[in-house]
Amino acid sequence: MGETPDLLSDPPRWGHRPMDAGLDVLRMIHFTGGIFLDAEFSAPWCVAAQVTPDDCRPFTPVPQGILAYHYVSAGRLLLRVGEAVPVTVSAGHIVVLPRNDPHVLGSELDGEPASVDHLIQPMSDGGLARIVYGGGGDTTRLQCGFLYSETPGDALIGILPSVMTLDVAQGTAGRWIESSFRFAATELAAGDIGSSVRLARLAELLFIEAVHHYLAGLPPEQRAWVGGLRNPFVSRALAKLHDHPERQWSSETLAREVGLSRSALAEHFTALVGVPPMRYLGRLRMQIAARRLRESLTSISRIALEAGYESEASFNKAFKRTFGAPPATWRRQQQGAAQTTAP
């Protein structure tokens, strides 16, 4: 049996046009933010990071719903969220973490990461905080910032991948973007805090561009949920399912939490997404489980629990029905195929 539509696909490459429903949601979100850290690392190095309220306080009252980003201006790094496969980020790329997940980054990720909280040299004279750290080898330079909004965008943010990268050097505006980052970072290092706002605006545009390309790059059968973003009730339902797929949801409890009757939610959800809420949840759970199996060494019993199954046996049965093989077999096949195609 073939795979179900991949609701959690990796972001596509620069060059597609945005989906209308995603545009509608993004137009309602007004972002602000800043850049707070200029870091220079030399190999070997490995640090654990997450944007904290203290990082944001110089620019704004402590926000909720932070989006973190790093712009790599020189060198390269590996970045990993949780137990996922690391992402390679090279110079000229911006990497966005839509939910500000804790992450590890470094020239290599095998060792115990140092906490960036213990490495930061505080701001002086209004300039950027600094980190200079590492073993003295190849250098990587990055600027770290955040975006946030007081306008709800939970449905869209909750559905995006945990890590999104964008090559800002590609496209007609690539050279302008790179020079803008360099110019703003230079001004910030010299103490011009106003440049942080300009750089945050640039980061907002790049985030929106990354979302556009992620949505537009999905094959038609994988876009079902995008249309649901137009409807506030369906949008809230999607956010709740994506935020807590492990919950023992029923049509009644989901409808109650979004403020509709069960029949009204089912009608709106099916019309916009293409399937009823509980069928959508079943597909979502399978895709989360498949991604975890493919990209991590997490035990099958734990993946079953995270996917909302009360027993490993019921998970195995549902997974085999969807993918045509038990989870352990499917994992071996996927990881074997990945090794065969690796350069």
Side-chain angles (χ1 to χ4, degrees), residues 57-130:
R57 283 196 180 97
F59 308 99
T60 182
V62 180
Q64 302 296 319
I66 298 170
L67 287 73
Y69 70 87
H70 306 295
Y71 175 68
V72 180
S73 55
R76 63 180 293 278
L77 59 84
L78 297 171
L79 184 147
R80 183 180 64 224
V81 172
E83 297 177 356
V85 173
V87 175
T88 300
V89 189
S90 56
H93 286 69
I94 187 169
V95 55
V96 182
L97 296 99
R99 290 174 292 282
N100 188 32
D101 293 305
H103 53 286
V104 177
L105 58 162
S107 58
E108 53 191 50
L109 305 181
D110 298 330
E112 184 68 23
S115 170
V116 294
D117 295 338
H118 302 142
L119 303 175
I120 292 178
Q121 304 167 19
M123 295 181 181
S124 59
D125 300 326
L128 282 177
R130 288 271 293 158

Side-chain angles (χ1 to χ4, degrees), residues 208-242:
I208 292 172
E209 188 71 17
V211 174
H212 287 179
H213 289 76
Y214 170 70
L215 297 179
L218 296 176
E221 68 274 12
Q222 296 176 16
R223 299 174 182 169
W225 54 267
V226 180
L229 299 176
R230 296 182 183 278
N231 181 291
F233 297 104
V234 176
S235 178
R236 284 201 295 272
L238 284 166
K240 290 181 179 296
L241 294 179
H242 279 262

Side-chain angles (χ1 to χ4, degrees), residues 80-86 102 291-299 302-303 306 331:
R80 183 180 64 224
V81 172
E83 297 177 356
V85 173
R291 185 165 188 164
R292 294 280 280 155
L293 287 166
R294 184 171 55 244
E295 299 183 354
S296 78
L297 298 177
T298 305
S299 69
R302 181 177 170 184
I303 291 174
E306 291 175 349
R331 170 181 261 174

Side-chain angles (χ1 to χ4, degrees), residues 4-5 7-8 159 224-225 234 236-255 265 269-270 273-290 303-309 315 318-319 321-323:
T4 56
L7 303 169
L8 303 173
I159 289 169
W225 54 267
V234 176
R236 284 201 295 272
L238 284 166
K240 290 181 179 296
L241 294 179
H242 279 262
D243 284 346
H244 299 288
E246 78 287 351
R247 279 185 58 179
Q248 297 305 307
W249 290 103
S250 68
S251 298
E252 289 78 8
T253 56
L254 182 62
L265 177 61
F269 198 101
T270 304
V273 180
V275 294
M278 294 303 101
R279 188 179 302 176
Y280 177 87
L281 175 61
R283 292 181 178 181
L284 173 63
R285 285 172 169 172
M286 285 295 99
Q287 291 303 324
I288 291 173
I303 291 174
L305 186 65
E306 291 175 349
Y309 288 85
F315 169 69
F319 193 91
R321 185 170 60 247
T322 301
F323 291 96

Side-chain angles (χ1 to χ4, degrees), residues 102-268:
H103 53 286
V104 177
L105 58 162
S107 58
E108 53 191 50
L109 305 181
D110 298 330
E112 184 68 23
S115 170
V116 294
D117 295 338
H118 302 142
L119 303 175
I120 292 178
Q121 304 167 19
M123 295 181 181
S124 59
D125 300 326
L128 282 177
R130 288 271 293 158
I131 289 179
V132 178
Y133 174 74
D138 292 342
T139 299
T140 297
R141 185 82 177 264
L142 62 150
Q143 288 76 45
C144 308
F146 70 95
L147 297 170
Y148 83 100
S149 175
E150 296 177 355
T151 307
D154 295 347
L156 179 60
I157 301 302
I159 289 169
L160 295 175
S162 58
V163 178
M164 305 178 72
T165 62
L166 193 65
D167 184 354
V168 302
Q170 293 188 18
T172 56
R175 190 171 299 174
W176 173 82
I177 291 169
E178 285 195 292
S179 62
S180 296
F181 260 107
R182 286 197 301 269
F183 179 72
T186 300
E187 285 188 318
L188 282 163
D192 181 3
I193 200 67
S195 294
S196 178
V197 177
R198 294 193 289 275
L199 195 52
R201 175 60 178 164
L202 179 59
E204 175 190 355
L205 295 175
L206 291 174
F207 167 67
I208 292 172
E209 188 71 17
V211 174
H212 287 179
H213 289 76
Y214 170 70
L215 297 179
L218 296 176
E221 68 274 12
Q222 296 176 16
R223 299 174 182 169
W225 54 267
V226 180
L229 299 176
R230 296 182 183 278
N231 181 291
F233 297 104
V234 176
S235 178
R236 284 201 295 272
L238 284 166
K240 290 181 179 296
L241 294 179
H242 279 262
D243 284 346
H244 299 288
E246 78 287 351
R247 279 185 58 179
Q248 297 305 307
W249 290 103
S250 68
S251 298
E252 289 78 8
T253 56
L254 182 62
R256 184 166 57 250
E257 292 204 13
V258 302
L260 280 181
S261 68
R262 182 184 62 81
S263 59
L265 177 61
E267 179 180 353
H268 289 301

